[in-house]
Each structure stands twice: as C-alpha cells, then as structure tokens.
Amino acid sequence: MIKDQDGKDIIDQEQVDRLVDYAIGHGVNYFDTAPVYLQGQSETATGIALKRHPRESYFIATKLSNFSNYTRENSLEMYYKSFENLQTDYIDYYLLHSIGGGGIEHFNARY
C-alpha cells in the first residue's frame, strides 16, 4: 500500500500487476480476495491484474463479507458487485466470510 497526498491508503496497481504476473509465471493459479480486504480495494486491484491473463489460467475466490448490514438484498448486491470488481463473469469459489463470529443466532440472521 502507498498513501495519497491526503494520507489515505491506496494500492500501487503497477506493483499488484507485477506480483500477479510473477505468481502466474511461477505456477500460482489461485487468487483469494474479499470485498473488505484493503479497505475495499482488493477485489478491484485483483480484477485489474488478473484481467490481463486468460481467464481459464487461474481460479478466483472471494467472500460474502456482509458483517453489518446482512439483508438478502445487501448480500445479493455484494455478490454482484464482486463480479464487477473482479471483471469476470464467473467466480470459482464463493465463500462465507467469518461465519463463526457471533454464535448461532448471528449465523442464522446472516444466512
């Protein structure tokens, strides 16, 4: 991460691109992200970097990270936004983020 002129953390996309290129060039084919990683910038940066490679050459995992406003509508919005951020028409692994937090009542409310 680097900081902008206001001190806000931003991603160095060129560095992300280089890291992804290096990883793919050395046999890595699984990339895991989430909407909440890096203050919400991870999916977008990952999508930009991966879009430059053939889609069939890697797997993408992301997560439903609906921690605070977990209505069905908000969960679906997060789901569809992940496709947009990752610039893909399919996600290989869609995981439920932090399902054990809060006990069974919290789990039932979220899912």
Side-chain angles (χ1 to χ4, degrees), residues 41-102:
Q41 300 176 73
S42 178
E43 280 189 339
T44 300
T46 301
I48 291 167
L50 289 174
K51 183 72 172 177
R52 302 162 34 258
H53 297 275
R55 179 60 182 91
E56 66 277 0
S57 68
Y58 56 85
F59 300 95
I60 297 174
T62 194
K63 298 159 194 76
L64 179 61
S65 303
N66 59 346
F67 299 123
S68 59
N69 190 351
Y70 38 81
T71 65
R72 174 178 166 74
E73 293 76 21
N74 286 332
S75 296
L76 285 170
E77 182 179 335
M78 181 174 282
Y79 173 77
Y80 290 119
K81 183 70 172 162
S82 289
F83 286 91
E84 180 183 325
N85 291 342
L86 290 164
Q87 301 184 39
T88 189
D89 58 352
Y90 67 96
I91 294 169
D92 299 288
Y93 303 97
Y94 196 71
L95 310 169
L96 303 178
H97 206 187
S98 187
I99 62 170

